[in-house]
Amino acid sequence: MRFPRLVLLHREVKSPARCRSARSAMIALAVVLQTAISPIPSILEPRATAQEGAAPEGAAQAQGPASAAPPPESLSPESPASSSGTPASANNRRGMTFSSAEEMLAEVLKGQVPQSLEQLAAMERQQQQVATLATACTVSVQIGRSQGCGVIITPDGYVLTAAHVAMRTGLRATLMLSDGRRVRARTLGLNRQVDAGLIKIDGDVDSAGKPWPHATLGTSTGLRQGMWCIAMGHPGGYDTDRGIVARVGRILAVRPGALVTDCALIGGDSGGPLFNLQGELIGIHSRIGNDVADNLHVPIDHYDRTWERLARSEAWGFLPGFRPVIGVRGTENSPRAEIQSVAPGSAAESVGLRPGDVIQRFGNVEISDFSSLQKAVSDTMPGEQVELRVQRGEEILRMMIEIGRDPRS
Amino acid sequence: MKPRRPDAARWLFLLAWILAGLAASPETSALLAQDAEEVSLSERFPFRVSSRRDSGQMIALVKPLCVEAGKSTVQIYSNNKPVALGLVVDSAGLVVTKRSELSGDPIRVRLPDDRMVNARVAAVRREDDLALLKADATDLVAAKLDTSEPGVGHFLVTVGRNGRPIHIGAVSVGSRPIAATGRLGIQLENNAEGLATVNLVLPDSGASAAGIQLGDRIVAIDGKPSGGSAEVVAFLRNFFPGESIRLTIARDGNTVEINAQMREFSVMLESENDARLNGPRNSRLSGFDAVLQHDTVLEPDQCGGPLVDSQGRIVGLNIARAGRVVSFALPNRIVQPLVEAMIQEAQSVNP
């Protein structure tokens, strides 16, 4: 038997997770296997301009005002609080996770193996420091029944995550900070092509009026095979008794759309941060293959390149191989979403949709014509359960459909 | 190696996927996985291994850290299969190891000098899954345990027999207790006579594997009359995952004796995909006074032996491979007092 190779890393929340009886065990099983991801009303709310957003900083660049069209490695102003006129040194880097490495680690930072046990000890001091600092800005993200991670990157509460964790624009999310704080947030844009998503915490400061703890942004330009990295996240879901889980590994491959590392990830880690040895954010966890060394992360520069669109709550593209389909055809300019044909073996066929059926509602989206149906489907993920309201003759039918995946995508 | 766009595109194109926790659609995924596997074998494997964190260079670097611990590290065989590593804690042949892997006789120990000797269980501490073996040898090197605890992000090296570094990992989470989460996998109700009666058997449970059926009435557990369902459930709480329980069952007018194993509840419930991603694990993954969670990729039979830190100090014993991202080690602040007590017990029974 052959198995699928790659798995997205968010997790269905098992509400009765710690069941005491076998019956509640069965309930937990049912939740995982059958229940839909609760659709949440989609309200598009463009919330921010690009200037409020990301502030990736080049390794040797001084702080200063943004140029008109910042290239990925340059910086844009982060917030009014960010100091101007301070000397540009490593210690003045914005964000709370940066930790300057000792001189003797210069070659290790470039991806070399430590040459002595002294270097090994220096590395682990660095790893401990980064893991400790990164804990404050690594959050658990819960949207409906789905759980993943995110990382706060600005004092006013912008959070990077994976697109498949954010799911859709304008969704309500609950973030859990490592100190136990639970905060409300809303999803902004999604670049599904690379699995990059953006979330904004509701308040620009926390309840005590303080800025949010946030990570130091690095760049994925110049990353090389062999470089050491530290992954943080909530594998298996948020666990109060355990907290955040750190993993240390190396970059095994650098591709335009993904970094591959041997920092082992599993469901629940999606959207969590990958740092370099100096605590700069270089990637966001996305998906895994069967091999324990198949762990893929979104390179951080993708967020910078498309920051304006993400901040404007745009959603576009699909991850190659993950294009959502239900398997129906219709006419584009008809006033209703009437099905003309149903593809054999499709999700639509398996729930019994027929030619002539009119789809009136898809999840929480009212469907006016076939193109609005196409748009609604493209806003889902393969495997997601969505409730349909369908008109068949005089009858109104309701059915749950599991979104399929276009094998040609 | 430079990033190569066409390869990346091709690779991504071939990826099958499922939602974590949801059942896959077997037809489509089977089709895609086949191609993906070919890509994996032909292109990706060799360069990846050379830059992994436990590459040959890294293993060579940490080898000196394992020398001292290696003098006391042994391989444990049960029923002629290698099941665990162990650590010599007394030169008179006393070895500590992971108890729940010692399921079959004979128990034998491969010593650091390659001798294979017989051993017997001299003491156990079920609460932390430790056993003390008395091996037929007297001239061994006892390990020195260090009770300092490495911090999150610190390197850990799992030491094999002869001081071979097995794998390198790092501390993921500081030490914490793990409550026992074993279940037999049945639900009970009381029948008219007040006897515990099975009304649900979970698939993949020890109960289902042992052939427990709906309607079975539990008369006795380990030979003791068991009473109603509340009593049975309370009694089962005393067992750890991996342990077997003898049930006396009344079924269709007959009485049957059944041995059923307590299993990890989370493993029972996980999807096929999660099971595959998590890989092989030990049968006991919970019920420890404290564990240090680390990310070393271990095989289940590589537990029971020592972990050293970046100074070469033995800081704990690997006690479970618990999932794709999880290995558990008992820190020495737990191991040391238990070992001392077991040594005393072994010596007082057999002076």
Side-chain angles (χ1 to χ4, degrees):
Chain A
M1 172 157 187
R2 303 284 191 164
F3 291 108
R5 292 283 301 179
L6 231 79
V7 177
L8 295 179
L9 288 176
H10 70 294
R11 182 157 199 93
E12 291 294 282
V13 175
K14 306 175 189 180
S15 13
R18 312 217 176 262
C19 308
R20 293 217 168 69
S21 73
R23 171 156 298 176
S24 50
M26 291 304 275
I27 295 167
L29 203 63
V31 169
V32 177
L33 295 176
Q34 286 154 20
T35 311
I37 295 166
S38 322
I40 299 167
S42 271
I43 305 152
L44 260 100
E45 250 183 47
R47 294 180 63 85
T49 61
Q51 277 69 33
E52 293 171 58
E57 238 176 72
Q61 267 166 322
Q63 299 185 359
S67 56
E73 304 92 307
S74 80
L75 46 120
S76 32
E78 187 174 58
S79 76
S82 66
S83 51
S84 53
T86 47
S89 76
N91 292 335
N92 284 318
R93 202 166 280 228
R94 293 197 209 100
M96 299 177 171
T97 54
F98 183 77
S99 170
S100 182
E102 292 169 46
E103 192 61 36
M104 71 162 115
L105 291 179
E107 294 304 310
V108 172
L109 292 179
K110 294 178 192 160
Q112 215 188 55
V113 163
Q115 301 299 302
S116 66
L117 294 174
E118 287 70 39
Q119 281 185 9
L120 189 80
M123 272 180 79
E124 71 178 9
R125 284 194 293 276
Q126 198 66 33
Q127 287 156 198
Q128 180 174 25
Q129 182 74 5
V130 171
T132 307
L133 294 171
T135 295
C137 56
T138 303
V139 299
S140 157
V141 175
Q142 193 172 335
I143 297 176
R145 291 193 186 284
S146 194
Q147 186 269 329
C149 289
V151 56
I152 311 175
I153 56 149
T154 63
D156 57 350
Y158 280 86
V159 177
L160 303 190
T161 187
H164 77 271
V165 170
M167 292 200 288
R168 278 177 280 285
T169 58
L171 298 187
R172 274 266 151 237
T174 303
L175 311 189
M176 290 284 282
L177 277 66
S178 65
D179 58 10
R181 278 187 286 174
R182 179 186 287 268
V183 299
R184 303 273 281 160
R186 192 178 284 275
T187 62
L188 302 180
L190 313 168
N191 177 359
R192 295 196 178 101
Q193 250 165 341
V194 294
D195 201 22
L198 185 63
I199 294 177
K200 174 70 175 71
I201 298 177
D202 282 358
D204 287 349
V205 288
D206 71 8
S207 55
K210 293 217 177 94
W212 296 105
H214 56 288
T216 307
L217 284 159
T219 171
S220 45
T221 306
L223 293 180
R224 285 208 301 265
Q225 187 193 336
M227 284 179 169
W228 293 82
C229 46
I230 298 144
M232 304 293 283
H234 294 282
Y238 188 88
D239 178 342
T240 322
D241 299 332
R242 180 198 63 191
I244 290 176
V245 177
R247 280 136 290 175
V248 175
R250 299 172 78 188
I251 296 176
L252 304 181
V254 179
R255 304 192 192 128
L259 306 172
V260 185
T261 73
D262 59 355
C263 291
L265 307 174
I266 203 163
D269 272 319
S270 267
L274 183 74
F275 293 94
N276 66 15
L277 210 47
Q278 297 204 97
E280 297 163 304
L281 186 63
I282 56 171
I284 297 293
H285 314 326
S286 171
R287 50 207 188 273
I288 60 175
N290 281 343
D291 191 293
V292 72
D294 265 342
N295 306 283
L296 277 66
H297 318 256
V298 186
I300 200 73
D301 289 357
H302 282 290
Y303 292 83
D304 191 55
R305 257 172 237 153
T306 56
W307 180 264
E308 295 191 20
R309 295 181 74 185
L310 291 173
R312 275 199 307 265
S313 289
E314 285 182 40
W316 68 95
F318 59 88
L319 198 58
F322 292 71
R323 179 192 171 94
V325 289
I326 60 171
V328 297
R329 280 178 186 281
T331 6
E332 297 223 357
N333 40 18
S334 133
R336 321 181 293 169
E338 184 175 337
I339 296 173
Q340 291 191 328
S341 67
V342 176
S346 65
E349 189 190 56
S350 67
V351 295
L353 283 173
R354 299 181 201 157
D357 288 353
V358 176
I359 297 181
Q360 297 184 323
R361 201 174 163 83
F362 182 91
N364 282 38
V365 185
E366 294 293 343
I367 301 300
S368 52
D369 55 10
F370 208 78
S371 50
S372 69
L373 176 63
Q374 284 174 323
K375 164 83 173 66
V377 172
S378 72
D379 260 351
T380 63
M381 293 188 301
E384 199 175 330
Q385 307 269 335
V386 176
E387 192 182 75
L388 298 182
R389 191 175 72 204
V390 177
Q391 187 184 356
R392 177 177 297 165
E394 300 296 300
E395 254 183 309
I396 297 291
L397 309 172
R398 283 170 200 282
M399 50 184 79
M400 292 298 286
I401 191 167
E402 182 178 322
I403 307 299
R405 186 184 48 77
D406 183 351
R408 298 158 303 175
S409 66
Chain B
M1 179 166 290
K2 288 177 200 157
R4 294 177 301 171
R5 186 168 210 124
D7 282 356
R10 181 170 159 221
W11 167 236
L12 285 171
F13 182 79
L14 294 168
L15 298 175
W17 82 289
I18 63 137
L19 229 90
L22 291 179
S25 130
E27 320 80 51
T28 50
S29 53
L31 180 78
L32 285 155
Q34 189 171 347
D35 295 339
E37 213 150 279
E38 282 165 18
V39 176
S40 160
L41 289 174
S42 63
E43 295 177 22
R44 301 172 333 116
F45 188 67
F47 77 84
R48 289 251 188 118
V49 171
S50 64
S51 54
R52 282 191 191 186
R53 66 175 174 183
D54 42 11
S55 66
Q57 277 177 297
M58 280 297 286
I59 294 287
L61 177 71
V62 300
K63 200 159 193 306
L65 301 174
C66 303
V67 172
E68 278 308 305
K71 291 176 184 165
S72 308
T73 305
V74 300
Q75 175 84 54
I76 313 288
Y77 291 78
S78 166
N79 192 18
N80 300 315
K81 287 191 290 278
V83 294
L85 297 169
L87 187 65
V88 176
V89 289
D90 186 292
S91 58
L94 296 179
V95 171
V96 66
T97 186
K98 178 167 167 60
R99 179 222 180 204
S100 57
E101 297 298 325
L102 308 172
S103 50
D105 289 328
I107 293 170
R108 294 195 293 166
V109 173
R110 174 81 74 184
L111 300 173
D113 61 11
D114 288 351
R115 272 183 297 160
M116 181 77 111
V117 298
N118 289 323
R120 61 177 176 78
V121 176
V124 298
R125 289 296 179 269
R126 290 174 59 226
E127 66 270 29
D128 285 294
D129 201 20
L130 290 178
L132 188 73
L133 302 180
K134 171 68 182 83
D136 292 343
T138 51
D139 47 354
L140 306 182
V141 179
K144 189 165 165 282
L145 304 184
D146 190 297
T147 50
S148 60
E149 188 178 313
V152 172
H154 278 219
F155 283 116
L156 294 172
V157 185
T158 295
V159 181
R161 202 176 60 87
N162 282 330
R164 181 175 66 92
I166 292 182
H167 282 302
I168 299 168
V171 178
S172 293
V173 184
S175 66
R176 70 187 198 276
I178 305 281
T181 51
R183 297 285 190 281
L184 210 47
I186 53 175
Q187 175 163 297
L188 299 168
E189 62 190 7
N190 286 336
N191 68 359
E193 293 95 59
L195 272 183
T197 306
V198 175
N199 67 9
L200 187 100
V201 181
L202 278 185
D204 299 323
S205 65
S208 138
I212 293 178
Q213 298 170 9
L214 290 184
D216 282 357
R217 282 157 322 209
I218 298 176
V219 181
I221 304 178
D222 283 350
K224 293 183 207 76
S226 52
S229 59
E231 287 87 342
V232 172
V233 170
F235 193 80
L236 292 179
R237 292 240 167 88
N238 299 321
F239 291 87
F240 291 104
E243 293 182 333
S244 275
I245 297 150
R246 187 161 52 89
L247 300 169
T248 308
I249 281 171
R251 179 190 294 168
D252 306 330
N254 300 321
T255 302
V256 283
E257 297 278 325
I258 288 182
N259 276 313
Q261 194 191 37
M262 295 287 274
R263 291 189 183 169
E264 286 291 346
F265 194 43
S266 58
V267 175
M268 241 180 263
L269 297 183
E270 78 187 355
S271 69
E272 200 183 317
N273 280 294
D274 279 353
R276 191 182 62 258
L277 291 168
N278 278 316
R281 280 156 289 175
N282 295 96
S283 55
R284 165 119 175 227
L285 310 179
S286 65
F288 304 110
D289 285 322
V291 294
L292 206 53
Q293 180 172 333
H294 60 105
D295 65 2
T296 313
V297 179
L298 294 175
E299 294 297 322
D301 63 4
Q302 291 170 332
C303 291
L307 270 171
V308 296
D309 67 3
S310 60
Q311 324 280 309
R313 298 177 294 200
I314 298 175
V315 293
L317 288 189
N318 281 314
I319 201 67
R321 175 63 177 165
R324 177 181 169 106
V325 305
V326 188
S327 291
F328 285 145
L330 295 175
N332 281 344
R333 69 179 168 88
I334 301 293
V335 176
Q336 188 148 36
L338 293 176
V339 163
E340 279 166 12
M342 284 193 289
I343 291 175
Q344 238 173 18
E345 187 183 319
Q347 287 168 344
S348 63
V349 171
N350 201 355

